[in-house]
C-alpha cells in the first residue's frame, strides 16, 4: 500500500503544472500568430488579461459610479512593432472601414484561418504599456492592446493578429 501511495504521489507531483504569475493573476494564455505589417513577430509570451474598472462621477449632487471590464492582449516580442504611415493604412482600409487614425496609436486587424478579415480597429496606446527592455545582449518589447469594439467570442475564430503603429 505504501508503494502504491508513493507512486501516486510521484505522478501527482510530476504531473502538476506550475502556474505562471500572469496565470495566477487570472490571465489566459493565448496562442495567436502575431504579425506587424504582415511581417512575423517572434514572441516569447502572450496572454489575455481582464481589468476591472470603477469610475466615479461627482457632478452636482449626483454620485454616479460606472463598473465595467476591459480586456487586453499583452505580449512580449524580440522585435519592435512596425510603424506604418497613416496615409498608407488609410488607403488600405478606406473602402472597408471608417476608423480614426491618430498618430502613434495601434492599427489592429484580426484574421481568420483562411486569411479573411474578421475585424479591424484602431486602439489608443494611452493607458497601454509599451516598454523597450533592451540591453546589449537581449531585447524584449512588451505591448498591451485593448480589445474593444467587437464581441470577444470572435477571438475563437482568430488565427492571426496584425498590429501596426500609426506613424
Amino acid at each position: 500500500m505504501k508503494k502504491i501511495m508513493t507512486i501516486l504521489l510521484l505522478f501527482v507531483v510530476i504531473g502538476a503544472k506550475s502556474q505562471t504569475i500572469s496565470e495566477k493573476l487570472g490571465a489566459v494564455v493565448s496562442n495567436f500568430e502575431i504579425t506587424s505589417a504582415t511581417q512575423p513577430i517572434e514572441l516569447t509570451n502572450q496572454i489575455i488579461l481582464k481589468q476591472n474598472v470603477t469610475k466615479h462621477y461627482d457632478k452636482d449632487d449626483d454620485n454616479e459610479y460606472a463598473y465595467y471590464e476591459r480586456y487586453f492582449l499583452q505580449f512580449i516580442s524580440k522585435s519592435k512593432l512596425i510603424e506604418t504611415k497613416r496615409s498608407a493604412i488609410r488607403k488600405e482600409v478606406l473602402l472597408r472601414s471608417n476608423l480614426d487614425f491618430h498618430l502613434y496609436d495601434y492599427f489592429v486587424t484580426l484574421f481568420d484561418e483562411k486569411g479573411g478579415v474578421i475585424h479591424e480597429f484602431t486602439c489608443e496606446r494611452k493607458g497601454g504599456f509599451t516598454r523597450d527592455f533592451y540591453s546589449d545582449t537581449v531585447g524584449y518589447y512588451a505591448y498591451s492592446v485593448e480589445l474593444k469594439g467587437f464581441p470577444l467570442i470572435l477571438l475563437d475564430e482568430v488565427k492571426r493578429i496584425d498590429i501596426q503603429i500609426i506613424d
Side-chain angles (χ1 to χ4, degrees), residues 16-167:
K17 178 186 173 199
S18 62
Q19 288 184 315
T20 63
I21 292 173
S22 56
E23 289 172 327
K24 288 178 182 178
L25 293 172
V28 177
V29 176
S30 57
N31 191 25
F32 300 112
E33 176 188 346
I34 297 180
T35 58
S36 186
T38 69
Q39 300 300 312
I41 299 291
E42 186 179 348
L43 301 176
T44 60
N45 196 6
Q46 61 175 293
I47 59 170
I48 295 178
L49 184 63
K50 177 174 75 171
Q51 177 187 26
N52 295 320
V53 178
T54 303
K55 288 203 174 192
H56 175 245
Y57 303 98
D58 189 13
K59 295 181 181 178
D60 300 327
D61 292 332
D62 296 334
N63 274 325
E64 298 177 3
Y65 290 90
Y67 303 97
Y68 59 94
E69 298 171 338
R70 298 188 314 181
Y71 293 87
F72 293 88
L73 169 66
Q74 296 182 345
F75 61 94
I76 298 173
S77 70
K78 292 186 177 183
S79 58
K80 290 184 177 182
L81 293 176
I82 294 173
E83 294 185 9
T84 305
K85 292 286 182 203
R86 182 174 171 244
S87 58
I89 294 174
R90 270 183 161 292
K91 246 184 245 183
E92 178 184 324
V93 297
L94 191 59
L95 298 175
R96 298 191 306 261
S97 304
N98 184 18
L99 300 171
D100 295 328
F101 296 92
H102 301 288
L103 291 180
Y104 307 113
D105 285 352
Y106 295 124
F107 176 68
V108 182
T109 307
L110 308 177
F111 294 93
D112 63 14
E113 64 182 41
K114 295 180 182 177
V117 175
I118 294 175
H119 185 66
E120 52 197 7
F121 60 97
T122 56
C123 174
E124 289 183 55
R125 285 173 65 184
K126 174 186 159 195
F129 181 77
T130 304
R131 179 79 189 261
D132 177 353
F133 295 102
Y134 188 79
S135 69
D136 291 337
T137 56
V138 179
Y140 292 104
Y141 303 94
Y143 295 98
S144 183
V145 178
E146 184 177 0
L147 301 172
K148 64 179 184 173
F150 64 94
L152 290 178
I153 196 164
L154 281 177
L155 289 177
D156 289 336
E157 304 300 320
V158 173
K159 173 71 174 165
R160 180 171 66 96
I161 300 176
D162 190 82
I163 305 169
Q164 301 172 57
I165 297 174
I166 301 170
D167 183 21

Side-chain angles (χ1 to χ4, degrees), residues 4-15:
I4 293 174
M5 291 302 283
T6 305
I7 291 172
L8 286 176
L9 183 61
L10 184 62
F11 282 128
V12 168
V13 170
I14 291 174

